[in-house]
mmCIF file of all heavy atoms in Angstrom:
data_model
loop_
_atom_site.group_PDB
_atom_site.id
_atom_site.type_symbol
_atom_site.label_atom_id
_atom_site.label_comp_id
_atom_site.label_asym_id
_atom_site.label_seq_id
_atom_site.Cartn_x
_atom_site.Cartn_y
_atom_site.Cartn_z
ATOM 1 N N ASP A 56 9.464 12.973 -17.400
ATOM 2 C CA ASP A 56 8.460 13.344 -18.323
ATOM 3 C C ASP A 56 8.864 14.507 -19.183
ATOM 4 O O ASP A 56 8.368 14.685 -20.315
ATOM 5 C CB ASP A 56 7.158 13.600 -17.569
ATOM 6 C CG ASP A 56 5.904 13.592 -18.459
ATOM 7 O OD1 ASP A 56 5.880 12.809 -19.440
ATOM 8 O OD2 ASP A 56 4.938 14.271 -18.107
ATOM 9 N N ASP A 61 5.434 15.901 -21.381
ATOM 10 C CA ASP A 61 5.081 17.312 -21.120
ATOM 11 C C ASP A 61 5.461 17.805 -19.678
ATOM 12 O O ASP A 61 4.827 18.780 -19.217
ATOM 13 C CB ASP A 61 3.666 17.632 -21.507
ATOM 14 C CG ASP A 61 2.699 16.686 -20.660
ATOM 15 O OD1 ASP A 61 3.241 15.776 -19.964
ATOM 16 O OD2 ASP A 61 1.521 16.930 -20.712
ATOM 17 N N ASP A 63 4.904 16.770 -16.674
ATOM 18 C CA ASP A 63 3.873 16.916 -15.591
ATOM 19 C C ASP A 63 3.650 15.626 -14.772
ATOM 20 O O ASP A 63 2.780 15.651 -13.893
ATOM 21 C CB ASP A 63 2.578 17.459 -16.144
ATOM 22 C CG ASP A 63 1.917 16.466 -17.081
ATOM 23 O OD1 ASP A 63 2.497 15.391 -17.421
ATOM 24 O OD2 ASP A 63 0.722 16.801 -17.564
ATOM 25 N N HIS A 64 4.345 14.537 -15.087
ATOM 26 C CA HIS A 64 3.949 13.312 -14.449
ATOM 27 C C HIS A 64 4.111 13.346 -12.916
ATOM 28 O O HIS A 64 3.238 12.833 -12.229
ATOM 29 C CB HIS A 64 4.667 12.145 -15.065
ATOM 30 C CG HIS A 64 4.218 10.738 -14.586
ATOM 31 N ND1 HIS A 64 2.860 10.375 -14.802
ATOM 32 C CD2 HIS A 64 4.809 9.789 -13.861
ATOM 33 C CE1 HIS A 64 2.666 9.192 -14.260
ATOM 34 N NE2 HIS A 64 3.771 8.769 -13.677
ATOM 35 N N ASN A 67 1.398 15.503 -11.595
ATOM 36 C CA ASN A 67 0.127 14.818 -11.641
ATOM 37 C C ASN A 67 -0.040 13.760 -10.537
ATOM 38 O O ASN A 67 -1.024 13.729 -9.786
ATOM 39 C CB ASN A 67 0.013 14.014 -12.958
ATOM 40 C CG ASN A 67 -0.168 14.943 -14.163
ATOM 41 O OD1 ASN A 67 -0.551 16.135 -14.012
ATOM 42 N ND2 ASN A 67 0.015 14.376 -15.375
ATOM 43 N N GLY A 104 -4.745 14.252 -18.129
ATOM 44 C CA GLY A 104 -3.811 13.535 -19.002
ATOM 45 C C GLY A 104 -4.064 12.043 -18.971
ATOM 46 O O GLY A 104 -5.145 11.567 -18.622
ATOM 47 N N ALA A 105 -2.978 11.310 -19.285
ATOM 48 C CA ALA A 105 -3.154 9.838 -19.341
ATOM 49 C C ALA A 105 -3.051 9.199 -17.996
ATOM 50 O O ALA A 105 -3.749 8.275 -17.667
ATOM 51 C CB ALA A 105 -2.019 9.315 -20.296
ATOM 52 N N GLY A 106 -2.084 9.706 -17.229
ATOM 53 C CA GLY A 106 -1.760 9.059 -15.929
ATOM 54 C C GLY A 106 -2.938 8.903 -15.004
ATOM 55 O O GLY A 106 -3.201 7.855 -14.396
ATOM 56 N N LEU A 109 -5.534 6.357 -16.110
ATOM 57 C CA LEU A 109 -5.011 4.941 -16.094
ATOM 58 C C LEU A 109 -4.797 4.492 -14.684
ATOM 59 O O LEU A 109 -5.188 3.312 -14.318
ATOM 60 C CB LEU A 109 -3.646 4.972 -16.877
ATOM 61 C CG LEU A 109 -3.841 5.130 -18.419
ATOM 62 C CD1 LEU A 109 -2.477 5.453 -19.052
ATOM 63 C CD2 LEU A 109 -4.405 3.818 -18.982
ATOM 64 N N VAL A 143 -5.567 -1.192 -16.564
ATOM 65 C CA VAL A 143 -4.621 -0.268 -17.302
ATOM 66 C C VAL A 143 -4.595 -0.690 -18.761
ATOM 67 O O VAL A 143 -4.724 0.143 -19.650
ATOM 68 C CB VAL A 143 -3.136 -0.250 -16.753
ATOM 69 C CG1 VAL A 143 -2.194 0.490 -17.697
ATOM 70 C CG2 VAL A 143 -3.117 0.360 -15.394
ATOM 71 N N GLY A 147 -5.954 1.638 -21.666
ATOM 72 C CA GLY A 147 -4.909 2.300 -22.478
ATOM 73 C C GLY A 147 -4.451 1.547 -23.681
ATOM 74 O O GLY A 147 -3.845 2.066 -24.541
ATOM 75 N N ALA A 149 -2.263 -0.587 -24.179
ATOM 76 C CA ALA A 149 -0.800 -0.677 -24.523
ATOM 77 C C ALA A 149 -0.410 -2.156 -24.477
ATOM 78 O O ALA A 149 -0.897 -2.931 -23.654
ATOM 79 C CB ALA A 149 0.012 0.175 -23.511
ATOM 80 N N THR A 155 5.411 1.854 -21.623
ATOM 81 C CA THR A 155 4.503 2.530 -20.710
ATOM 82 C C THR A 155 4.609 1.865 -19.322
ATOM 83 O O THR A 155 5.391 0.911 -19.164
ATOM 84 C CB THR A 155 3.003 2.322 -21.186
ATOM 85 O OG1 THR A 155 2.626 0.980 -21.033
ATOM 86 C CG2 THR A 155 2.839 2.787 -22.655
ATOM 87 N N MET A 156 3.710 2.245 -18.443
ATOM 88 C CA MET A 156 3.635 1.625 -17.115
ATOM 89 C C MET A 156 3.347 0.124 -17.200
ATOM 90 O O MET A 156 3.724 -0.626 -16.295
ATOM 91 C CB MET A 156 2.522 2.294 -16.261
ATOM 92 C CG MET A 156 1.155 2.359 -16.911
ATOM 93 S SD MET A 156 -0.010 3.190 -15.801
ATOM 94 C CE MET A 156 0.388 4.962 -16.103
ATOM 95 N N VAL A 157 2.717 -0.294 -18.265
ATOM 96 C CA VAL A 157 2.483 -1.717 -18.506
ATOM 97 C C VAL A 157 3.739 -2.576 -18.496
ATOM 98 O O VAL A 157 3.778 -3.727 -18.027
ATOM 99 C CB VAL A 157 1.690 -1.995 -19.843
ATOM 100 C CG1 VAL A 157 1.621 -3.428 -20.222
ATOM 101 C CG2 VAL A 157 0.296 -1.325 -19.715
ATOM 102 N N LYS A 202 2.782 4.395 -27.379
ATOM 103 C CA LYS A 202 1.537 4.926 -26.701
ATOM 104 C C LYS A 202 1.741 6.227 -25.981
ATOM 105 O O LYS A 202 2.908 6.483 -25.586
ATOM 106 C CB LYS A 202 0.918 3.874 -25.799
ATOM 107 C CG LYS A 202 0.301 2.737 -26.375
ATOM 108 C CD LYS A 202 -1.111 3.015 -26.879
ATOM 109 C CE LYS A 202 -1.793 1.848 -27.499
ATOM 110 N NZ LYS A 202 -1.237 1.249 -28.616
ATOM 111 N N GLY A 203 0.738 7.025 -25.876
ATOM 112 C CA GLY A 203 0.860 8.289 -25.053
ATOM 113 C C GLY A 203 1.685 9.278 -25.798
ATOM 114 O O GLY A 203 2.116 9.205 -26.971
ATOM 115 N N ARG A 204 1.921 10.409 -25.050
ATOM 116 C CA ARG A 204 2.638 11.518 -25.622
ATOM 117 C C ARG A 204 3.999 11.212 -26.164
ATOM 118 O O ARG A 204 4.492 11.758 -27.188
ATOM 119 C CB ARG A 204 2.858 12.615 -24.565
ATOM 120 C CG ARG A 204 1.750 13.510 -24.329
ATOM 121 C CD ARG A 204 1.995 14.454 -23.210
ATOM 122 N NE ARG A 204 0.831 14.908 -22.634
ATOM 123 C CZ ARG A 204 0.017 15.848 -23.210
ATOM 124 N NH1 ARG A 204 0.371 16.404 -24.351
ATOM 125 N NH2 ARG A 204 -1.113 16.193 -22.670
ATOM 126 N N ASP A 217 10.742 5.485 -19.129
ATOM 127 C CA ASP A 217 9.427 5.979 -19.132
ATOM 128 C C ASP A 217 8.946 6.431 -17.774
ATOM 129 O O ASP A 217 9.128 5.696 -16.724
ATOM 130 C CB ASP A 217 8.501 4.796 -19.590
ATOM 131 C CG ASP A 217 7.029 5.230 -19.635
ATOM 132 O OD1 ASP A 217 6.746 6.206 -20.394
ATOM 133 O OD2 ASP A 217 6.218 4.674 -18.884
ATOM 134 N N PRO A 218 8.352 7.621 -17.647
ATOM 135 C CA PRO A 218 7.917 8.117 -16.361
ATOM 136 C C PRO A 218 6.842 7.214 -15.674
ATOM 137 O O PRO A 218 6.933 7.010 -14.493
ATOM 138 C CB PRO A 218 7.318 9.494 -16.634
ATOM 139 C CG PRO A 218 7.492 9.762 -18.128
ATOM 140 C CD PRO A 218 8.180 8.554 -18.750
ATOM 141 N N GLY A 219 5.846 6.792 -16.462
ATOM 142 C CA GLY A 219 4.800 5.996 -15.881
ATOM 143 C C GLY A 219 5.281 4.674 -15.392
ATOM 144 O O GLY A 219 4.843 4.188 -14.363
ATOM 145 N N ALA A 220 6.195 4.032 -16.083
ATOM 146 C CA ALA A 220 6.801 2.757 -15.613
ATOM 147 C C ALA A 220 7.560 3.025 -14.330
ATOM 148 O O ALA A 220 7.627 2.178 -13.387
ATOM 149 C CB ALA A 220 7.752 2.229 -16.671
HETATM 150 P P1 ADP B 13 0.249 12.701 -19.971
HETATM 151 O O1 ADP B 13 1.083 11.816 -20.858
HETATM 152 O O2 ADP B 13 -1.140 12.872 -20.396
HETATM 153 O O3 ADP B 13 0.996 13.978 -19.676
HETATM 154 P P2 ADP B 13 1.304 11.622 -17.489
HETATM 155 O O4 ADP B 13 2.507 12.413 -17.805
HETATM 156 O O5 ADP B 13 0.776 11.749 -16.132
HETATM 157 O O6 ADP B 13 0.163 11.924 -18.562
HETATM 158 O O7 ADP B 13 1.611 10.147 -17.693
HETATM 159 C C1 ADP B 13 2.492 9.671 -18.693
HETATM 160 C C2 ADP B 13 2.614 8.148 -18.605
HETATM 161 O O8 ADP B 13 1.417 7.486 -18.851
HETATM 162 C C3 ADP B 13 3.627 7.514 -19.579
HETATM 163 O O9 ADP B 13 4.933 7.630 -19.086
HETATM 164 C C4 ADP B 13 3.122 6.137 -19.743
HETATM 165 O O10 ADP B 13 3.761 5.237 -18.811
HETATM 166 C C5 ADP B 13 1.681 6.202 -19.321
HETATM 167 N N1 ADP B 13 0.903 6.013 -20.507
HETATM 168 C C6 ADP B 13 0.531 6.863 -21.470
HETATM 169 N N2 ADP B 13 -0.343 6.356 -22.380
HETATM 170 C C7 ADP B 13 -0.572 5.005 -21.945
HETATM 171 C C8 ADP B 13 -1.322 3.958 -22.383
HETATM 172 N N3 ADP B 13 -2.072 4.047 -23.509
HETATM 173 N N4 ADP B 13 -1.297 2.789 -21.680
HETATM 174 C C9 ADP B 13 -0.559 2.662 -20.582
HETATM 175 N N5 ADP B 13 0.203 3.702 -20.078
HETATM 176 C C10 ADP B 13 0.254 4.884 -20.765
#
Side-chain angles (χ1 to χ4, degrees):
D56 197 31
D61 56 354
D63 65 356
H64 190 60
N67 288 346
L109 288 165
V143 170
T155 70
M156 56 179 79
V157 170
K202 284 281 184 296
R204 277 176 204 284
D217 180 62

